[in-house]
Amino acid sequence: MASLLKILGLCLWLYLASQGSKTVVSQSPTLVNGTVHIDGGSTIGITDEDFICATMDWWPPTKCDYGTCSWGNASLLNLDLSNKILLNAIKAFSPLKIRLGGTLQDKVRYQTRDDPRPCTQFVKNSSEMFGFTEGCLPMSRAKIIFGLNALTGRTIGPDGTCTGAWNSSNSESLIRHTVNSSYTIYGWELGNELSGRGVGASVTADQYASDVIALQKLVQHIYKDFDTKPLVLGPGGFVDADWFTKFINGASGSLQGVTHHIYNLGPGVDDHLIDKILDPSYLDGGAQPFRDLKNILKRSGTSTVAWVGEAGGAYNSGHNLVTNAFVFSFWYLDQLGMSSSYDSKTYCRQSLIGGNYGLLNTTTFVPNPDYYSALLWHRLMGRKVLATNFVGTNKTRAYAHCSKTTVGITLLLINLDNTTAVQVGLSVENAISNKTLTLEQISQQTRMTKHMSKYKHDIKSEMMRDEYHLTAKDGDLHSQTMLLNGEIIAVNSSGAIPPLEPRRVNSTEPLTVAPYSILFVQISYIQVPACK
């Protein structure tokens, strides 16, 4: 493990180099028309280059929810980091940010030379906060901890309210250890879900701001000889507008990233999760924390940026065959599109592996559908976000970015309807000569110029688009097998991630999104000022 982490340069936001009834698609869909309107004049958000992020957690095998123990050996303390599928899945992103932390990070002690006590593991105990005793991170694995325990030194009252300042001594020993071991650190995050009312415990906004300032001073001192210093991030909790306002105003000079969590679907035991995922109005309601945080940051005048530090949709480990199945890509990709449109810089999915919401299967490490959704986003959707609006049916969600590696734009379309396919028209404002250009007009211009033989080859290549149609195997939303353009996506016998090849389509062909499907479409022949 040590050699692996050294090679890949781990950090807090780790850069790694290189049930219910069966829900199926209608067999005889109807067809409706709709139009995507895109303003190509300017951007409404700019994400990090490595916007996609995933989390790794502390939960031991004894972590059980609703009678199911879904974590297995996916903990930071026992995960097999030599698994070839895991390594290939990480390397396919090149790079992938990984946030190391979670609920139990606020009960972790770091084994250092300054603390000779025995290093014990987490033990299930219902009388303890979070249901487990304190656990210890052995020095042999210290390089992979970056979500810091923010409860050390505090007194926790019967109602969970904390008093006293953060004691940074144990965390300081860990930070110094990573520096002495030459581990590359991207950032340190203080605490987990202690903002507002908190989960299990809470810290006031003023005190938390003071603690973040202390962490920033510590980082600046320890890394004083480094040209590039780790980021300081926090609070890793749920957006409470009043609390976040006080916290950001108090800590903005010492805080580079404001991290918040998303579990807007409720508990994993909910039997109506799919109903929520397929409900456009419910999805729209998920915009509130993004909107609130964007407004708070704007009013504060700070340079601090917004990150989604942990998002699993349904808390308490998710729901088997929902949050690890095809249907969850509707929620996940909509979240990626929505959060980026509110200028979030990074979005960390809970989890890379573990629970019932992992991008990878906890036991086999084989990618779940959301892994491929994330990988396509990472490869196709560029940093610049374009204002996008879909008109025609509220069951279709639409987002557009400048393309990541080519000229033009990339469009994400999500069809939540079981019975209706959508034929999509495209209207792009400020495209080419500062005017609105429809897909039909683009096709017409293509036909008018095809007779010019010397341009024929170039036009043929330039007026094609790349389509990536994602559907569930056998049309079953609970399926853990995803199809790309009708073909099963699967790792091979060597554990290699398959190439995700597009379908090349002539611009004169209609743009159609099948029922219960997702479409990424890369359009190089539409160029806009915002993408220059």
Side-chain angles (χ1 to χ4, degrees), residues 88-116:
N88 289 333
I90 291 171
K91 290 176 182 177
F93 280 84
S94 186
L96 174 66
K97 281 177 180 167
I98 297 182
R99 177 231 184 195
L100 305 179
T103 300
L104 293 185
Q105 78 180 50
D106 288 319
K107 300 200 74 171
V108 177
R109 179 173 60 84
Y110 315 119
Q111 183 188 49
T112 68
R113 294 173 182 174
D114 301 326
D115 189 346

Side-chain angles (χ1 to χ4, degrees), residues 12-308:
L12 163 66
W13 308 96
L14 184 64
Y15 281 91
L16 296 178
S18 326
Q19 299 261 61
S21 59
K22 190 174 184 180
T23 308
V24 298
V25 179
S26 170
Q27 297 302 307
S28 302
T30 57
L31 183 68
V32 300
N33 294 314
T35 302
V36 175
H37 297 273
I38 300 172
D39 183 357
S42 60
T43 60
I44 60 171
I46 299 179
T47 69
D48 285 346
E49 185 74 20
D50 41 16
F51 175 71
I52 297 293
C53 168
T55 70
M56 292 175 63
D57 215 308
W58 286 103
W59 294 119
T62 51
K63 160 68 170 172
C64 304
D65 300 285
Y66 321 120
T68 300
C69 306
S70 59
W71 283 87
N73 290 326
S75 170
L76 290 170
L77 293 172
N78 55 33
L79 182 65
D80 176 13
L81 291 179
S82 65
N83 182 278
K84 60 185 179 181
I85 300 178
L86 174 65
L87 295 179
N88 289 333
I90 291 171
K91 290 176 182 177
F93 280 84
S94 186
L96 174 66
K97 281 177 180 167
I98 297 182
R99 177 231 184 195
L100 305 179
T103 300
L104 293 185
Q105 78 180 50
D106 288 319
K107 300 200 74 171
V108 177
R109 179 173 60 84
Y110 315 119
Q111 183 188 49
T112 68
R113 294 173 182 174
D114 301 326
D115 189 346
R117 290 177 294 167
C119 200
T120 57
Q121 298 301 303
F122 294 108
V123 176
K124 192 173 181 65
N125 186 330
S126 59
S127 65
E128 293 274 348
M129 184 175 65
F130 308 134
F132 287 87
T133 63
E134 178 186 85
C136 176
L137 177 70
M139 289 297 286
S140 60
R141 284 195 174 229
K143 67 197 79 169
I144 64 168
I145 281 296
F146 306 100
L148 297 172
N149 183 342
L151 290 182
T152 52
R154 307 187 199 275
T155 300
I156 305 175
D159 62 351
T161 301
C162 298
T163 56
W166 173 54
N167 183 334
S168 63
S169 58
N170 192 222
S171 293
E172 179 179 355
S173 295
L174 174 66
I175 295 172
R176 290 188 182 279
H177 170 72
T178 63
V179 172
N180 294 335
S181 301
S182 299
Y183 300 137
T184 301
I185 309 299
Y186 186 64
W188 297 99
E189 183 185 31
L190 183 62
N192 183 81
E193 297 179 355
L194 302 175
S195 60
R197 296 179 181 177
V199 177
S202 63
V203 179
T204 66
D206 291 339
Q207 181 60 62
Y208 217 115
S210 177
D211 299 330
V212 164
I213 291 171
L215 175 58
Q216 169 71 356
K217 290 179 179 178
L218 187 63
V219 168
Q220 291 297 312
H221 175 68
I222 294 175
Y223 292 89
K224 62 181 182 298
D225 297 325
F226 289 68
D227 292 333
T228 302
K229 298 174 176 60
L231 301 178
V232 170
L233 308 164
F238 299 99
V239 174
D240 174 307
D242 291 339
W243 193 99
F244 268 66
T245 297
K246 293 177 183 177
F247 170 68
I248 291 169
N249 287 338
S252 62
S254 300
L255 186 70
Q256 287 79 60
V258 181
T259 54
H260 68 106
H261 293 183
I262 302 288
Y263 287 93
N264 62 329
L265 296 175
V269 72
D270 189 345
D271 290 329
H272 300 286
L273 290 177
I274 288 185
D275 295 334
K276 294 177 180 179
I277 292 168
L278 298 177
D279 182 352
S281 62
Y282 198 93
L283 294 180
D284 287 340
Q288 192 62 49
F290 302 124
R291 184 183 302 114
D292 286 348
L293 187 51
K294 182 179 179 179
N295 289 336
I296 292 169
L297 291 171
K298 183 177 180 180
R299 288 193 301 266
S300 73
T302 179
S303 60
T304 305
V305 299
W307 289 33
V308 176

